[in-house]
Amino acid sequence: MLKVGVLGAGHLGKIHLRLLQQSDKYELVGFYDENQENAERISKEFGYKNFSTIAKLIHAVDVIDIVTPTLSHYKCAKVAIKSGKHIFIEKPIANTVEEAEEIIALAKEYNVKGQVGHVERFNPAFIATKNMIENPMFIETHRLAEFNPRGTDVPVVLDLMIHDIDAILSVVNSKVKDIHASGVSVISDTPDIANARIEFENGCVANLTASRISLKNMRKSRFFQKDAYISVDFLEKKCEVVRMKDAPEVPGDFDMILQNAEGVKKQIYFTNPDVEQNNAILDELESFAHAINTDTTPVVTLEQATDALRVAYQIIDCFNK
């Protein structure tokens, strides 16, 4: 079991603490939170050991789980890496691309592993369909959330849309060619609703919409590729695959057949792949333990998270233009 410590005991930090204590891959040593009043309250309520400094916690563990505000990710990661500790960082990896690139360089220099908490990669609906997504040419995503003051200190692109940016980059095997985007600030100082169009060198186009002032929650992605359409509902954890195949010469009574203007007939098949329910946050944390113990590449690498952050800032730059 790897000894792990958590930096940050806010809303998400408390979830990480609970799951790490349950995990048989980790031994939860304790946590540090700069708000000592909050730290003492959590320590008293749940029994986690509260460390008085970051340095003392880092010294006592093998792995540091960074669940602090984004502004401090770089500072926390730098201290942990220079102490030779593996790091798990909540998304986004850092506040700037430059900080993220330095985290990558430091991890290589000190020979430690890093993984970033892009949790939708572990969503069971995405896992159930990912191997079926082959060379998509059009992608559409909607990530809509009801208003929550928590998170409004950053643009909606870094708060919500970055989940979909990362998922898209993980299935499109091509470099980004061009980006167009627009965003509107409604109640925050930064955009609350945004739309982006990402064009890839291979011709794939992704259309992303994110909002944190919606009347209902929605997290859906649709992937269109030759002879198939794949729908993933990240919120409901459901998926559907629609495939087109050449129609049989003698269709059955219940076969669904489409015929185009040239007379080509296709049969439509609907399938709902089995979705194995999981705890995505626990799975991502335990997958990192597996990567450390087996000396293999983490599922979401520091480099991949930096690519997602780079695209996110290219989208934000479009707003400023």
Side-chain angles (χ1 to χ4, degrees), residues 1-43:
M1 292 174 76
L2 294 162
K3 291 182 177 179
V4 64
V6 176
L7 292 183
H11 172 73
L12 192 54
K14 284 191 285 188
I15 294 171
H16 279 228
L17 282 164
R18 176 172 55 82
L19 293 173
L20 287 167
Q21 191 172 49
Q22 292 173 8
S23 173
D24 58 7
K25 301 280 194 295
Y26 291 102
E27 176 193 337
L28 177 62
V29 172
F31 74 100
Y32 170 82
D33 189 278
E34 67 176 10
N35 182 337
Q36 278 302 302
E37 193 180 318
N38 179 52
E40 284 167 18
R41 186 172 64 250
I42 289 167
S43 182

Side-chain angles (χ1 to χ4, degrees), residues 190-306:
T190 59
D192 297 300
I193 184 166
N195 176 263
R197 176 185 169 91
I198 304 173
E199 298 175 13
F200 293 87
E201 289 180 356
N202 69 349
C204 176
V205 172
N207 193 18
L208 299 81
T209 301
S211 168
R212 58 183 174 209
I213 50 167
S214 181
L215 296 177
K216 64 174 184 176
N217 293 322
M218 178 193 285
R219 303 205 301 260
K220 284 185 177 177
S221 294
R222 300 170 181 86
F223 302 86
F224 297 85
Q225 59 198 42
K226 184 171 173 59
D227 294 334
Y229 154 73
I230 297 158
S231 173
V232 180
D233 189 327
F234 289 93
L235 184 62
E236 299 293 333
K237 297 177 174 57
K238 295 176 182 175
C239 53
E240 183 178 52
V241 179
V242 182
R243 293 195 182 278
M244 311 260 304
K245 295 183 181 176
D246 291 336
E249 293 206 8
V250 183
D253 291 343
F254 299 103
D255 290 348
M256 189 176 287
I257 308 295
L258 288 181
Q259 181 173 329
N260 66 14
E262 288 74 37
V264 177
K265 293 181 180 179
K266 295 277 186 179
Q267 182 174 355
I268 301 176
Y269 298 84
F270 293 89
T271 56
N272 295 95
D274 291 334
V275 176
E276 293 184 19
Q277 296 305 316
N278 68 342
N279 186 311
I281 296 175
L282 179 61
D283 279 5
E284 68 177 354
L285 290 166
E286 292 194 337
S287 79
F288 186 46
H290 177 77
I292 294 167
N293 288 327
T294 59
D295 193 21
T296 50
T297 304
V299 175
V300 184
T301 65
L302 301 174
E303 289 83 359
Q304 290 170 338
T306 302

